Amino acid sequence: MSTTVETARSSVIVAIDGPSGTGKSSTSKAVAAKLGLSYLDTGAQYRAITWWMLSNGIDVGDPAEIATAAAKPVIVSGTDPAAPTITVDGEDASGPIRTQEVTSKVSAVSAVPEVRTLITELQRSIAAAATGGIVVEGRDIGTTVLPDADLKIFLTASPEARAARRSGEVKGSDLTATREALIKRDAADSGRKTSPLAKADDAVEVDTTELTLQQVIECVVTLVEGKRVAA
């Protein structure tokens, strides 16, 4: 009896949204690992399809061409928070999807409705298969992908803090240019017609500007544990 109750309590679906540089990935992976949950980086899936488009000569400036090609690549995401993986047509894409070229084109590709429909269905199937619970991070998880998630969290931070974090991740990057790129990406993601970046009405907002990564992780773990107890 107690095992059944524990399983029910553990099978929590957590949606973590927010713009780039707020600590989504680091926080989500750490929380999932600490609580024994699966983990899914949905942004990596959009990067993966963008990388495939660029590698296969698709004009990423042409929404119609993107829409026609969207169903061709097979994207598989591993959900182990300690070692998340992503493959495209069986090829490891974890490195290639992080290039500057992919970063600069992913908003355009992910804005195409046919792409979002396909990737959203993939994300929902992964979440449904995670019987032990899952942390899903992205930009439209609480609003579109998993509107019935047990817990929704929206991470924010000042543009300056986010730019500083991103510059720290990329050697030799220019802080001002990084900040401008982040603001441009925000505008593209928030302004797109299909599933824009937005905070769900019932999401808990956590401003990470003045917090260390460990403090953010502890905050989210506390929120998840509180939801488990309430359930």
Side-chain angles (χ1 to χ4, degrees):
M1 182 70 177
S2 60
T3 304
T4 306
V5 172
E6 183 58 38
T7 302
R9 285 174 54 205
S10 300
S11 299
V12 62
I13 293 179
V14 182
I16 300 184
D17 290 307
S20 302
T22 53
K24 284 197 311 294
S25 294
S26 299
T27 299
S28 299
K29 279 187 280 194
V31 169
K34 191 165 187 175
L35 297 176
L37 303 171
S38 295
Y39 160 76
L40 178 62
D41 174 1
T42 63
Q45 295 175 320
Y46 284 107
R47 285 176 171 274
I49 198 168
T50 301
W51 172 66
W52 182 90
M53 298 263 177
L54 292 168
S55 301
N56 286 273
I58 307 300
D59 180 0
V60 295
D62 183 347
E65 194 169 334
I66 291 171
T68 300
K72 293 180 180 179
V74 176
I75 298 170
V76 177
S77 297
T79 58
D80 178 355
T85 58
I86 186 158
T87 63
V88 182
D89 296 338
E91 183 179 351
D92 178 15
S94 55
I97 65 172
R98 301 296 171 184
T99 63
Q100 186 53 47
E101 184 184 20
V102 170
T103 299
S104 66
K105 304 296 184 186
V106 67
S107 284
V109 173
S110 62
V112 176
E114 288 82 358
V115 171
R116 297 209 76 81
T117 297
L118 283 163
I119 299 293
T120 295
E121 287 174 0
L122 175 61
Q123 292 162 359
R124 286 175 177 160
S125 68
I126 292 170
T131 53
I134 190 168
V135 177
V136 183
E137 58 123 326
R139 287 173 169 76
D140 67 340
I141 312 307
T143 52
T144 301
V145 180
L146 299 169
D148 296 323
D150 299 299
L151 176 64
K152 302 174 189 178
I153 295 169
F154 194 85
L155 299 183
T156 64
S158 70
E160 291 73 23
R162 292 164 54 211
R165 290 168 186 166
R166 274 298 154 96
S167 292
E169 293 170 4
V170 183
K171 272 189 174 181
S173 60
D174 178 83
L175 188 60
T176 302
T178 301
R179 181 179 180 276
E180 289 173 358
L182 285 173
I183 291 172
K184 186 178 179 181
R185 176 84 191 269
D186 289 351
D189 290 347
S190 301
R192 64 173 177 247
K193 291 181 180 178
T194 307
S195 304
L197 165 67
K199 177 189 169 189
D201 292 338
D202 54 347
V204 178
E205 184 170 328
V206 179
D207 188 336
T208 70
T209 303
E210 303 293 337
L211 302 177
T212 64
L213 175 59
Q214 195 54 46
Q215 287 173 324
V216 179
I217 293 167
E218 288 170 4
C219 174
V220 174
V221 165
T222 299
L223 289 168
V224 176
E225 288 181 332
K227 184 60 67 173
R228 278 179 164 178
V229 170

